[in-house]
């Protein structure tokens, strides 16, 4: 059946900044009016926008914190960008992020190295979770064979710990390392479907000389949960919770800038040739190579 939905959203977000010595305080609020055009429902949302920072030791050690909320306007396009295997049967509605409370420390370890450590606690109403569609043994729709995803909504609270280090040396060498750990609590769903318990990444760019440049990126994603649900016309089958294994992905590129307009390059993706599953029943492609040349137009 065709699903119809429509949301109209308008909002204002006034703020006021106070700077007093080493203290910086931003006081604000966001207010939204949401109109469900299909359901003929109207609703108002009000969120805090409060941030505080304090320079404890110049630029070396800065303490910060805040509490902010937002009305996140979801769309089928956004869902399909994140998960290209969604079915055409999605129900789309906004997520009410009641608040994101956080505290952290950031600063510079040297002129070329900076850091950021933060803890977050989120509270989301109607958070969108990707969940595998049931396998219907009596239907013949192409997306009902264990090969598509639905979106389910639940009230989810999330606690996370985040850390990153960035190195920038004379713009010739850039290095960034990030890691974040998550725990979730759901109201109705048994799991926070397809949300990882850990994520980490490393990015590196190196300008070797005037012409040669290189870079690499490494990604690690922790375990996720999904559900295998088979619907038989005569035999009841209990859904099974599936744990998707963590995975590691490494990519690299090398390029040569011939002149201001012409550049040639080669890329290697999934260098470790992993056959991990980002989504249930969908293993990724193994090692890949790509070479090409680009031309920059000057209009």
């Amino acid at each position: 059946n065709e699903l119809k939905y429509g949301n109209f959203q308008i909002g204002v977000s006034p703020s006021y900044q106070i700077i007093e010595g080493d203290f910086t305080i931003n006081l604000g609020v966001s207010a939204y009016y949401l109109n469900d055009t299909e359901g003929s429902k109207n609703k108002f949302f009000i969120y805090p926008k409060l941030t505080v920072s304090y320079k404890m030791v110049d630029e070396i050690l800065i303490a910060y914190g805040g509490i902010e909320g937002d009305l996140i306007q979801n769309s089928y396009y956004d869902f399909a960008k994140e998960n290209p295997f969604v079915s055409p049967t999605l129900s789309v509605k906004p997520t009410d992020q009641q608040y994101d409370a956080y505290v952290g420390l950031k600063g510079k370890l040297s002129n070329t190295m900076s850091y950021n450590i933060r803890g977050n606690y989120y509270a989301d109403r109607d958070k969108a979770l990707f969940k595998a569609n049931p396998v219907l043994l009596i239907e013949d729709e192409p997306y009902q064979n264990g090969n598509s995803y639905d979106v389910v909504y639940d009230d989810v609270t999330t606690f996370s710990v985040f850390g990153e280090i960035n190195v920038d040396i004379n713009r010739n060498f850039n290095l960034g390392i990030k890691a974040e750990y998550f725990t979730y609590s759901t109201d109705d769903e048994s799991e926070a479907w397809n949300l990882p318990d850990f994520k980490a990444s490393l990015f590196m760019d190196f300008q070797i000389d005037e012409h040669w440049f290189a870079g690499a990126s490494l990604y690690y994603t922790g375990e996720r949960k999904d559900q295998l649900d088979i619907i038989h016309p005569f035999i009841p089958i209990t859904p099974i919770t599936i744990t998707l294994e963590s995975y590691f992905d490494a990519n690299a590129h090398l390029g040569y800038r011939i002149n201001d307009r012409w550049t040639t390059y080669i890329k290697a993706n999934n260098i470790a040739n992993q056959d991990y599953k980002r989504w249930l029943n969908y293993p990724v492609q193994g090692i890949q190579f790509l070479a090409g040349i680009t031309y920059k137009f000057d209009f």
Side-chain angles (χ1 to χ4, degrees):
N1 295 329
E2 182 182 1
L3 295 178
K4 293 184 178 181
Y5 53 85
N7 296 300
F8 172 76
Q9 172 183 318
I10 188 171
V12 294
S13 186
S15 64
Y16 180 72
Q17 186 178 74
I18 302 172
I19 300 177
E20 189 68 34
D22 292 327
F23 274 101
T24 300
I25 302 174
N26 291 290
L27 301 172
V29 65
S30 291
Y32 293 94
Y33 165 75
L34 176 68
N35 174 235
D36 181 351
T37 57
E38 288 295 323
S40 300
K41 296 179 181 179
N42 305 309
K43 194 171 183 179
F44 288 93
F45 299 85
I46 298 178
Y47 302 100
K49 293 285 186 181
L50 170 64
T51 65
V52 180
S53 68
Y54 174 61
K55 294 181 180 179
M56 301 174 67
V57 184
D58 295 326
E59 298 294 328
I60 299 173
L61 184 61
I62 302 172
Y64 68 95
I67 180 168
E68 304 180 62
D70 202 5
L71 185 64
I72 302 171
Q73 184 70 285
N74 298 310
S75 69
Y76 189 97
Y77 175 75
D78 290 333
F79 289 146
K81 279 202 305 181
E82 185 175 355
N83 182 347
F85 309 114
V86 291
S87 67
T89 58
L90 303 187
S91 172
V92 179
K93 58 182 177 179
T95 295
D96 173 15
Q97 187 172 92
Q98 296 177 294
Y99 60 85
D100 168 16
Y102 57 90
V103 292
L105 294 171
K106 63 181 179 179
K108 291 186 175 181
L109 299 174
S110 68
N111 290 332
T112 60
M113 183 179 297
S114 62
Y115 69 92
N116 187 9
I117 303 170
R118 184 181 69 243
N120 288 71
Y121 186 78
Y122 305 86
D124 295 310
R125 284 183 177 175
D126 290 329
K127 184 176 180 64
L129 303 172
F130 292 109
K131 186 180 181 183
N133 273 317
V135 180
L136 304 184
L137 300 182
I138 57 173
E139 300 289 341
D140 58 357
E141 293 289 349
Y143 55 82
Q144 295 175 331
N145 297 290
N147 59 346
S148 71
Y149 271 80
D150 193 10
V151 169
V152 296
Y153 296 89
D154 197 6
D155 296 347
V156 180
T157 56
T158 306
F159 172 74
S160 71
V161 179
F162 169 83
E164 70 173 333
I165 293 177
N166 291 292
V167 179
D168 189 349
I169 302 176
N170 299 326
R171 297 184 179 180
N172 290 327
F173 179 80
N174 296 295
L175 173 68
I177 302 173
K178 300 180 181 180
E180 190 165 10
Y181 169 77
F182 305 89
T183 61
Y184 309 97
S185 177
T186 56
D187 276 6
D188 298 323
E189 299 293 326
S190 58
E191 300 285 351
W193 306 114
N194 281 289
L195 295 182
D197 58 1
F198 187 79
K199 292 175 67 176
S201 61
L202 181 149
F203 299 91
M204 181 176 65
D205 286 298
F206 181 37
Q207 186 69 43
I208 302 170
D209 60 23
E210 182 182 355
H211 297 283
W212 288 97
F213 61 92
S217 59
L218 309 176
Y219 301 92
Y220 176 84
T221 300
E223 292 182 344
R224 291 89 58 220
K225 304 283 188 180
D226 208 330
Q227 189 175 78
L228 176 61
D229 187 8
I230 301 176
I231 299 178
H232 193 280
F234 307 112
I235 304 173
I237 301 174
T238 303
I240 301 172
T241 297
I242 304 293
T243 298
L244 298 174
E245 294 183 354
S246 58
Y247 64 86
F248 171 81
D249 199 334
N251 312 287
H253 67 268
L254 176 67
Y256 182 79
R257 190 170 291 108
I258 302 170
N259 52 42
D260 290 340
R261 296 190 179 185
W262 290 97
T263 301
T264 183
Y265 64 89
I266 183 170
K267 295 181 179 180
N269 296 325
N270 195 5
I271 296 172
N273 201 29
Q274 300 278 307
D275 61 349
Y276 63 84
K277 295 181 178 66
R278 172 64 184 90
W279 305 102
L280 184 65
N281 296 327
Y282 280 99
V284 301
Q285 187 175 346
I287 188 170
Q288 308 149 51
F289 294 97
L290 174 68
I293 188 168
T294 62
Y295 178 79
K296 183 185 296 185
F297 290 93
D298 184 4
F299 294 107

